[in-house]
């Protein structure tokens, strides 16, 4: 029985280590994705539009498209899509732009973030499983009928406490990181909403004039 508890202990430690690495990896990837996709503030977005609007309003769509093509952030890519599909009609274009932002940007980020959430929820549960296993080992030692091995009992209780602490140590940073990323996502959505309104106003002017 003691060997079984020891083997389960190694499995729990391995699972906790794997969760910690996977959660940190997903969190870093998601953070990088959000950072690479959004403008840092409205002033930075305004600088982009100040550079884009002269060729766009002048009907130089190739020049405007080239400015957007080199910028992989969400708003420039949406502007590029709008330029390339300017002839589909403004109502349809507006709907497609919103759908594209949801599918190509937000869906990808939320998929990555869902893994972080899964790890942050799973780690305390595996930690609790380790706690139960550790206490079972301690009580098994007590009920053996032989002289109680206090050293072994201390190891089992320590294992129970360590797994609990590990679960919390993994979950808490991930929860805080996820909350921070969600704030950045909300800010990006607000900036993109403002940017789309400005872009569509310019497109209506250009298309109407053409």
């Amino acid at each position: 029985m003691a060997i079984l508890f020891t083997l389960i202990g190694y499995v729990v430690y391995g699972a906790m280590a794997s969760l910690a690495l996977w959660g940190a990896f997903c969190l870093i990837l998601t953070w990088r994705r959000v950072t690479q996709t959004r403008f840092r503030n409205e002033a930075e977005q305004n600088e982009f539009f100040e550079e884009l609007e002269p060729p766009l309003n002048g009907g130089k769509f190739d020049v405007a498209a080239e400015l957007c093509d080199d910028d992989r952030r969400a708003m420039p890519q949406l502007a590029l899509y709008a330029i390339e599909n300017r002839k589909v009609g403004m109502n349809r274009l507006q709907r497609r732009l919103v759908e594209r932002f949801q599918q190509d940007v937000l869906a990808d980020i939320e998929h990555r973030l869902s893994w972080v959430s899964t790890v942050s929820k799973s780690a305390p549960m595996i930690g609790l499983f380790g706690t139960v296993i550790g206490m079972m080992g301690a009580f098994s030692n007590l009920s053996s009928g032989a002289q109680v091995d206090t050293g072994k009992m201390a190891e089992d209780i320590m294992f129970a406490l360590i797994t609990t602490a590990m679960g919390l140590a993994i979950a808490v940073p991930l929860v805080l990181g996820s909350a921070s990323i969600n704030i950045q996502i909300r800010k990006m959505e607000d900036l993109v909403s403002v940017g789309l309104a400005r872009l569509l106003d310019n497109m209506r002017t250009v298309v109407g004039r053409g």
Side-chain angles (χ1 to χ4, degrees), residues 30-87:
T30 307
W31 182 270
R32 287 186 60 189
R33 173 64 173 160
V34 174
T35 302
Q36 292 169 354
T37 302
R38 72 182 186 91
F39 286 110
R40 287 176 295 181
N41 49 54
E42 191 169 357
E44 192 174 85
Q45 181 167 277
N46 287 337
E47 290 179 6
F48 164 72
F49 275 107
E50 287 170 3
E51 188 177 2
L52 175 69
E53 286 172 344
L56 182 62
N57 293 332
K60 299 177 182 178
F61 298 114
D62 291 341
V63 176
E66 187 176 348
L67 288 173
C68 299
D69 191 41
D70 295 333
D71 196 330
R72 306 311 301 172
R73 287 173 291 192
M75 193 64 245
Q77 290 303 302
L78 291 172
L80 177 62
Y81 182 84
I83 294 169
E84 293 175 345
N85 295 271
R86 60 187 179 276
K87 297 180 180 179

Side-chain angles (χ1 to χ4, degrees), residues 141 147-158:
N141 187 21
Q147 184 177 359
V148 176
D149 187 344
T150 55
K152 181 64 173 62
M153 180 178 292
E155 288 180 5
D156 291 334
I157 295 174
M158 183 174 67

Side-chain angles (χ1 to χ4, degrees), residues 1-208:
M1 184 65 71
I3 296 177
L4 177 61
F5 284 131
T6 300
L7 291 176
I8 294 175
Y10 286 134
V11 171
V12 170
Y13 281 137
M16 298 289 279
S18 299
L19 279 177
L21 292 174
W22 179 245
F25 176 72
C26 292
L27 187 67
I28 292 171
L29 280 185
T30 307
W31 182 270
R32 287 186 60 189
R33 173 64 173 160
V34 174
T35 302
Q36 292 169 354
T37 302
R38 72 182 186 91
F39 286 110
R40 287 176 295 181
N41 49 54
E42 191 169 357
E44 192 174 85
Q45 181 167 277
N46 287 337
E47 290 179 6
F48 164 72
F49 275 107
E50 287 170 3
E51 188 177 2
L52 175 69
E53 286 172 344
L56 182 62
N57 293 332
K60 299 177 182 178
F61 298 114
D62 291 341
V63 176
E66 187 176 348
L67 288 173
C68 299
D69 191 41
D70 295 333
D71 196 330
R72 306 311 301 172
R73 287 173 291 192
M75 193 64 245
Q77 290 303 302
L78 291 172
L80 177 62
Y81 182 84
I83 294 169
E84 293 175 345
N85 295 271
R86 60 187 179 276
K87 297 180 180 179
V88 301
M90 294 309 301
N91 291 334
R92 184 178 297 179
L93 179 60
Q94 181 176 358
R95 186 167 59 252
R96 286 186 180 181
L97 285 171
V98 173
E99 291 173 354
R100 191 174 181 86
F101 178 61
Q102 292 286 339
Q103 294 173 2
D104 294 352
V105 180
L106 292 183
D108 177 58
I109 293 173
E110 288 171 0
H111 172 72
R112 297 167 188 258
L113 199 57
S114 67
W115 278 109
V116 180
S117 177
T118 299
V119 172
S120 65
K121 292 176 182 177
S122 301
M125 299 300 292
I126 295 179
L128 181 60
F129 175 74
T131 301
V132 173
I133 293 300
M135 297 309 296
M136 287 175 63
F139 285 120
S140 175
N141 187 21
L142 283 174
S143 62
S144 62
Q147 184 177 359
V148 176
D149 187 344
T150 55
K152 181 64 173 62
M153 180 178 292
E155 288 180 5
D156 291 334
I157 295 174
M158 183 174 67
F159 170 76
L161 296 177
I162 288 175
T163 55
T164 303
M166 287 178 65
L168 294 175
I170 294 171
V172 171
L174 293 180
V175 169
L176 294 176
S178 297
S180 178
I181 289 175
N182 278 316
I183 292 173
Q184 301 305 317
I185 292 173
R186 299 291 86 79
K187 289 181 178 179
M188 179 175 65
E189 288 178 325
D190 292 341
L191 281 176
V192 169
S193 178
V194 172
L196 283 179
R198 183 170 176 176
L199 174 65
L200 290 170
D201 285 341
N202 282 282
M203 295 298 297
R204 286 189 185 96
T205 302
V206 174
V207 173

